[in-house]
Amino acid sequence: MRNSIKILIGEMDAKLTGHAGLLNYRYMNLCIKAEPAALLSLTVTDIEGNVYNIEEVADTMIPDDFSFEFVPREMAMLPFIQKGIAESHPEFKQEVIEPKEEDHFFVANTAEYDQEKHIICTMPEVDNNRYDVLKESVKALYDDSMVEIDKVKVKYTELLADRTRELPKEEADEAKDKLEELFKRYSEICKTYRDNKVKEIEESHQKWLADQAEEKLNRIHVN
Protein backbone atom coordinates (compact mmCIF):
# COMPACT_ATOMS: atom_id res chain seq x y z
CA MET A 1 0.00 0.00 0.00
CA ARG A 2 1.38 3.40 -0.99
CA ASN A 3 2.50 5.84 1.69
CA SER A 4 -0.06 8.48 0.71
CA ILE A 5 -2.85 5.92 1.22
CA LYS A 6 -1.37 4.71 4.52
CA ILE A 7 -1.23 8.29 5.78
CA LEU A 8 -4.87 8.87 4.83
CA ILE A 9 -6.04 5.70 6.54
CA GLY A 10 -3.91 6.57 9.58
CA GLU A 11 -5.69 9.91 9.82
CA MET A 12 -9.05 8.19 9.71
CA ASP A 13 -7.94 5.72 12.37
CA ALA A 14 -6.90 8.58 14.67
CA LYS A 15 -10.23 10.37 14.25
CA LEU A 16 -12.25 7.22 14.89
CA THR A 17 -10.12 6.46 17.94
CA GLY A 18 -10.93 9.94 19.25
CA HIS A 19 -14.69 9.53 18.79
CA ALA A 20 -14.74 6.08 20.40
CA GLY A 21 -12.61 7.29 23.30
CA LEU A 22 -14.86 10.29 23.84
CA LEU A 23 -17.93 8.04 23.97
CA ASN A 24 -16.26 5.83 26.56
CA TYR A 25 -15.28 8.88 28.63
CA ARG A 26 -18.82 10.23 28.52
CA TYR A 27 -20.20 6.88 29.61
CA MET A 28 -17.82 6.79 32.56
CA ASN A 29 -19.18 10.19 33.56
CA LEU A 30 -22.70 8.72 33.74
CA CYS A 31 -21.66 7.65 37.20
CA ILE A 32 -23.10 4.38 38.41
CA LYS A 33 -19.91 2.99 39.87
CA ALA A 34 -16.92 4.98 41.12
CA GLU A 35 -14.96 5.44 37.88
CA PRO A 36 -11.60 7.24 38.27
CA ALA A 37 -12.06 8.85 34.86
CA ALA A 38 -15.08 10.74 36.22
CA LEU A 39 -12.66 12.84 38.27
CA LEU A 40 -10.69 14.12 35.28
CA SER A 41 -12.97 17.14 34.96
CA LEU A 42 -12.92 17.88 38.70
CA THR A 43 -11.13 21.12 39.62
CA VAL A 44 -10.95 23.03 42.90
CA THR A 45 -10.89 26.82 43.22
CA ASP A 46 -9.58 28.31 46.46
CA ILE A 47 -10.58 31.59 48.13
CA GLU A 48 -8.03 33.52 46.09
CA GLY A 49 -9.31 32.16 42.80
CA ASN A 50 -6.46 29.73 42.20
CA VAL A 51 -7.59 26.64 40.29
CA TYR A 52 -6.19 23.18 41.05
CA ASN A 53 -6.74 19.69 39.73
CA ILE A 54 -8.15 17.46 42.45
CA GLU A 55 -4.89 15.48 42.75
CA GLU A 56 -3.04 18.66 43.70
CA VAL A 57 -5.14 19.26 46.81
CA ALA A 58 -6.33 15.81 47.83
CA ASP A 59 -5.67 12.12 47.48
CA THR A 60 -8.44 9.80 46.41
CA MET A 61 -9.33 6.29 47.49
CA ILE A 62 -12.05 4.02 46.13
CA PRO A 63 -13.14 2.04 49.21
CA ASP A 64 -15.83 0.15 47.26
CA ASP A 65 -17.45 0.06 43.82
CA PHE A 66 -19.86 2.88 44.60
CA SER A 67 -17.89 5.53 46.47
CA PHE A 68 -14.87 7.82 46.44
CA GLU A 69 -13.00 9.00 49.52
CA PHE A 70 -11.10 12.29 49.30
CA VAL A 71 -8.30 13.07 51.72
CA PRO A 72 -7.51 16.82 51.79
CA ARG A 73 -3.83 17.65 52.02
CA GLU A 74 -4.79 20.76 54.00
CA MET A 75 -7.99 20.95 56.01
CA ALA A 76 -8.53 24.57 54.92
CA MET A 77 -9.19 23.26 51.40
CA LEU A 78 -12.01 20.94 52.46
CA PRO A 79 -14.96 23.30 51.69
CA PHE A 80 -13.42 24.23 48.33
CA ILE A 81 -12.99 20.56 47.46
CA GLN A 82 -16.63 19.98 48.37
CA LYS A 83 -17.70 22.88 46.16
CA GLY A 84 -15.62 21.57 43.25
CA ILE A 85 -17.16 18.11 43.59
CA ALA A 86 -20.67 19.59 43.70
CA GLU A 87 -20.05 21.64 40.58
CA SER A 88 -18.48 18.79 38.62
CA HIS A 89 -20.77 16.01 39.87
CA PRO A 90 -23.88 17.36 41.61
CA GLU A 91 -25.30 13.84 41.65
CA PHE A 92 -22.66 12.62 44.15
CA LYS A 93 -23.91 12.32 47.73
CA GLN A 94 -21.30 13.97 49.96
CA GLU A 95 -20.56 13.23 53.60
CA VAL A 96 -17.73 14.56 55.79
CA ILE A 97 -16.36 12.00 58.23
CA GLU A 98 -13.71 11.83 60.94
CA PRO A 99 -11.97 8.53 60.18
CA LYS A 100 -10.60 6.17 62.78
CA GLU A 101 -6.91 5.40 62.60
CA GLU A 102 -7.37 1.71 61.92
CA ASP A 103 -9.67 2.37 58.95
CA HIS A 104 -7.46 4.46 56.70
CA PHE A 105 -3.87 3.97 55.60
CA PHE A 106 -3.40 7.71 55.00
CA VAL A 107 -3.72 8.37 58.71
CA ALA A 108 -0.28 6.96 59.37
CA ASN A 109 1.28 9.52 57.05
CA THR A 110 0.94 12.42 59.49
CA ALA A 111 3.90 14.27 58.05
CA GLU A 112 1.98 14.91 54.82
CA TYR A 113 -1.69 14.89 55.73
CA ASP A 114 -3.97 16.64 58.16
CA GLN A 115 -6.26 13.76 59.05
CA GLU A 116 -9.12 15.53 60.83
CA LYS A 117 -11.77 14.94 58.16
CA HIS A 118 -12.32 13.09 54.91
CA ILE A 119 -15.00 13.49 52.23
CA ILE A 120 -17.02 10.45 51.22
CA CYS A 121 -18.86 10.67 47.90
CA THR A 122 -21.42 7.98 47.18
CA MET A 123 -22.84 7.31 43.72
CA PRO A 124 -26.62 7.77 43.56
CA GLU A 125 -28.75 4.64 43.35
CA VAL A 126 -30.31 3.68 40.06
CA ASP A 127 -33.94 4.10 41.09
CA ASN A 128 -36.81 4.08 38.58
CA ASN A 129 -36.43 7.74 37.62
CA ARG A 130 -32.65 7.61 37.24
CA TYR A 131 -32.93 4.32 35.35
CA ASP A 132 -35.02 5.97 32.63
CA VAL A 133 -32.74 9.02 32.42
CA LEU A 134 -29.59 6.89 32.20
CA LYS A 135 -31.00 4.64 29.48
CA GLU A 136 -32.02 7.68 27.43
CA SER A 137 -28.60 9.26 27.93
CA VAL A 138 -26.78 6.11 26.85
CA LYS A 139 -28.78 5.97 23.63
CA ALA A 140 -28.37 9.69 22.90
CA LEU A 141 -24.59 9.59 23.43
CA TYR A 142 -24.24 6.49 21.28
CA ASP A 143 -26.35 7.97 18.48
CA ASP A 144 -24.30 11.20 18.54
CA SER A 145 -21.04 9.25 18.33
CA MET A 146 -22.25 7.14 15.42
CA VAL A 147 -23.28 10.27 13.55
CA GLU A 148 -19.73 11.60 13.93
CA ILE A 149 -18.21 8.26 12.94
CA ASP A 150 -20.41 8.15 9.84
CA LYS A 151 -19.22 11.64 8.93
CA VAL A 152 -15.61 10.48 9.17
CA LYS A 153 -16.38 7.50 6.95
CA VAL A 154 -18.05 9.67 4.29
CA LYS A 155 -15.21 12.20 4.30
CA TYR A 156 -12.41 9.64 4.02
CA THR A 157 -14.28 7.54 1.48
CA GLU A 158 -14.32 10.60 -0.77
CA LEU A 159 -10.67 11.42 -0.08
CA LEU A 160 -9.65 7.84 -0.72
CA ALA A 161 -11.62 7.69 -3.98
CA ASP A 162 -9.75 10.77 -5.16
CA ARG A 163 -6.32 9.40 -4.26
CA THR A 164 -6.94 5.96 -5.75
CA ARG A 165 -8.45 7.21 -8.98
CA GLU A 166 -5.31 6.50 -11.00
CA LEU A 167 -4.26 3.38 -9.11
CA PRO A 168 -4.70 -0.21 -10.30
CA LYS A 169 -8.03 -1.73 -9.27
CA GLU A 170 -6.34 -4.23 -6.93
CA GLU A 171 -4.61 -1.46 -4.94
CA ALA A 172 -7.74 0.69 -4.86
CA ASP A 173 -9.84 -2.22 -3.59
CA GLU A 174 -7.27 -3.01 -0.89
CA ALA A 175 -7.43 0.58 0.36
CA LYS A 176 -11.24 0.57 0.33
CA ASP A 177 -11.33 -2.72 2.26
CA LYS A 178 -8.98 -1.28 4.87
CA LEU A 179 -11.19 1.78 5.29
CA GLU A 180 -14.30 -0.38 5.67
CA GLU A 181 -12.48 -2.60 8.18
CA LEU A 182 -11.66 0.45 10.32
CA PHE A 183 -15.23 1.68 10.21
CA LYS A 184 -16.60 -1.71 11.27
CA ARG A 185 -14.01 -2.09 14.04
CA TYR A 186 -14.80 1.25 15.68
CA SER A 187 -18.53 0.77 15.20
CA GLU A 188 -18.24 -2.50 17.14
CA ILE A 189 -16.11 -0.83 19.82
CA CYS A 190 -18.79 1.82 20.33
CA LYS A 191 -21.52 -0.83 20.46
CA THR A 192 -19.51 -2.69 23.11
CA TYR A 193 -19.18 0.49 25.19
CA ARG A 194 -22.93 1.03 24.87
CA ASP A 195 -23.85 -2.56 25.73
CA ASN A 196 -21.51 -2.62 28.75
CA LYS A 197 -23.04 0.58 30.09
CA VAL A 198 -26.57 -0.71 29.59
CA LYS A 199 -25.61 -3.90 31.44
CA GLU A 200 -24.16 -1.83 34.30
CA ILE A 201 -27.37 0.20 34.50
CA GLU A 202 -29.55 -2.90 34.46
CA GLU A 203 -27.53 -4.61 37.20
CA SER A 204 -27.59 -1.52 39.42
CA HIS A 205 -31.32 -1.06 38.87
CA GLN A 206 -31.98 -4.69 39.79
CA LYS A 207 -29.91 -4.17 42.94
CA TRP A 208 -32.04 -1.13 43.83
CA LEU A 209 -35.26 -3.10 43.22
CA ALA A 210 -33.99 -5.94 45.41
CA ASP A 211 -33.06 -3.50 48.18
CA GLN A 212 -36.51 -1.92 47.99
CA ALA A 213 -38.19 -5.31 48.22
CA GLU A 214 -36.06 -6.25 51.23
CA GLU A 215 -36.87 -2.97 52.99
CA LYS A 216 -40.59 -3.50 52.34
CA LEU A 217 -40.39 -7.03 53.73
CA ASN A 218 -38.55 -5.80 56.82
CA ARG A 219 -41.22 -3.17 57.45
CA ILE A 220 -43.91 -5.83 57.22
CA HIS A 221 -42.08 -8.00 59.74
CA VAL A 222 -41.63 -5.07 62.14
CA ASN A 223 -45.31 -4.17 61.95
Side-chain angles (χ1 to χ4, degrees):
M1 189 180 295
R2 306 193 183 195
N3 283 337
S4 61
I5 304 301
K6 289 181 179 179
I7 290 171
L8 193 66
I9 290 176
E11 289 176 0
M12 178 180 174
D13 193 352
K15 289 184 181 296
L16 293 177
T17 298
H19 288 304
L22 180 60
L23 177 63
N24 190 38
Y25 172 74
R26 286 172 171 168
Y27 279 161
M28 286 188 287
N29 275 274
L30 293 178
C31 295
I32 298 168
K33 294 185 177 180
E35 297 279 3
L39 304 182
L40 293 176
S41 61
L42 174 54
T43 58
V44 177
T45 305
D46 67 15
I47 196 170
E48 296 177 350
N50 300 309
V51 180
Y52 304 92
N53 294 323
I54 184 62
E55 64 268 19
E56 295 180 273
V57 295
D59 282 280
T60 306
M61 295 183 286
I62 304 179
D64 56 59
D65 288 342
F66 299 98
S67 63
F68 292 108
E69 182 168 354
F70 297 95
V71 185
R73 292 177 180 271
E74 298 177 7
M75 201 49 49
M77 290 297 293
L78 187 142
F80 303 109
I81 295 171
Q82 286 187 283
K83 185 173 185 290
I85 294 169
E87 290 175 346
S88 178
H89 285 286
E91 74 276 18
F92 288 4
K93 299 177 182 178
Q94 293 192 44
E95 178 186 5
V96 177
I97 66 167
E98 297 183 3
K100 298 177 182 178
E101 286 194 16
E102 61 270 21
D103 292 339
H104 303 274
F105 71 86
F106 281 120
V107 171
N109 211 351
T110 54
E112 294 186 29
Y113 297 97
D114 179 349
Q115 296 301 327
E116 293 178 11
K117 294 178 181 178
H118 294 190
I119 304 167
I120 300 291
C121 288
T122 306
M123 304 303 100
E125 295 176 317
V126 183
D127 59 15
N128 289 332
N129 290 334
R130 190 162 187 251
Y131 174 79
D132 292 337
V133 171
L134 286 170
K135 290 289 289 291
E136 290 171 4
S137 297
V138 167
K139 183 181 184 304
L141 291 172
Y142 173 77
D143 290 345
D144 286 348
S145 291
M146 292 310 299
V147 166
E148 295 304 316
I149 285 175
D150 284 338
K151 287 180 182 178
V152 171
K153 182 186 179 184
V154 170
K155 175 182 177 181
Y156 281 87
T157 297
E158 293 174 353
L159 291 172
L160 191 65
D162 184 61
R163 291 199 187 180
T164 58
R165 200 180 309 279
E166 305 299 327
L167 294 182
K169 183 178 185 302
E170 182 178 332
E171 288 188 47
D173 287 346
E174 180 187 3
K176 291 175 185 176
D177 289 345
K178 183 63 177 177
L179 184 148
E180 189 64 32
E181 177 189 327
L182 282 176
F183 174 73
K184 288 181 179 179
R185 182 199 306 169
Y186 285 100
S187 295
E188 287 302 317
I189 288 172
C190 289
K191 287 178 183 176
T192 299
Y193 289 153
R194 178 198 64 189
D195 293 346
N196 288 345
K197 198 65 181 182
V198 169
K199 181 181 178 182
E200 186 180 2
I201 293 167
E202 294 290 351
E203 289 176 349
S204 296
H205 184 55
Q206 289 302 314
K207 178 180 181 299
W208 178 81
L209 290 173
D211 290 344
Q212 294 298 301
E214 184 177 353
E215 287 181 16
K216 183 177 181 180
L217 187 61
N218 290 337
R219 287 196 298 271
I220 292 173
H221 286 162
V222 168
N223 295 332

